[in-house]
Amino acid sequence: EVQLVESGGGLVQAGGSLRLSCTASGFTLDAYTIGWFRQAPGKEREGVSCISTSYDETYYSDSVKGRFAISRDSAKNTVYLQMNTLKPEDTAVYYCAAAANWGTTVRNFGSWGQGTQVTISS
């Protein structure tokens, strides 16, 4: 079975940083595209950042480019999302997801974690 577990969310003041972790079990993470998505209240889930070693691709949404960084630790079967210079508009539930092929939108991804809450105060 494929399982993804997010951790690292919390409450942070604007300008601060958080590092989210997505740990996979039941499959080798490097064989899949791993995406970070977020969903704010009343809004659709949107892609934040994606990484694939198989397709040699990395993606960042315009809203986080230059502030967030995605990385992978293959030995720990974990993907991280380092979030810097956080803004109140970054407040959302953050999800990690896995896809068999390269993709950056929700419908490309078939396996999802439970989500972790990120709240940025003004």
Side-chain angles (χ1 to χ4, degrees):
E1 296 182 358
V2 174
Q3 184 176 3
L4 297 168
V5 178
E6 304 98 331
S7 62
L11 175 62
V12 180
Q13 290 183 327
S17 298
L18 283 173
R19 189 180 72 164
L20 305 183
S21 299
C22 174
T23 300
S25 61
F27 68 101
T28 300
L29 184 150
D30 285 352
Y32 292 81
T33 299
I34 303 298
W36 285 100
F37 297 81
R38 66 187 182 187
Q39 187 165 21
K43 295 186 177 181
E44 294 186 349
R45 193 169 299 184
E46 64 175 351
V48 176
S49 183
C50 302
I51 187 169
S52 172
T53 56
S54 297
Y55 289 87
D56 191 28
E57 295 277 6
T58 304
Y59 164 81
Y60 296 95
S61 68
D62 289 341
S63 63
V64 308
K65 196 172 299 181
R67 299 189 297 121
F68 292 9
I70 192 167
S71 62
R72 180 189 65 254
D73 187 333
S74 296
K76 296 180 179 180
N77 215 28
T78 298
V79 169
Y80 302 98
L81 184 67
Q82 179 66 46
M83 305 187 296
N84 299 320
T85 319
L86 286 161
K87 304 174 181 179
E89 51 263 45
D90 295 318
T91 295
V93 177
Y94 283 70
Y95 300 88
C96 68
N101 304 114
W102 173 250
T104 60
T105 62
V106 168
R107 69 192 194 106
N108 296 135
F109 290 77
S111 299
W112 294 83
Q114 82 290 344
T116 185
Q117 177 70 49
V118 172
T119 303
I120 313 303
S121 61
S122 300

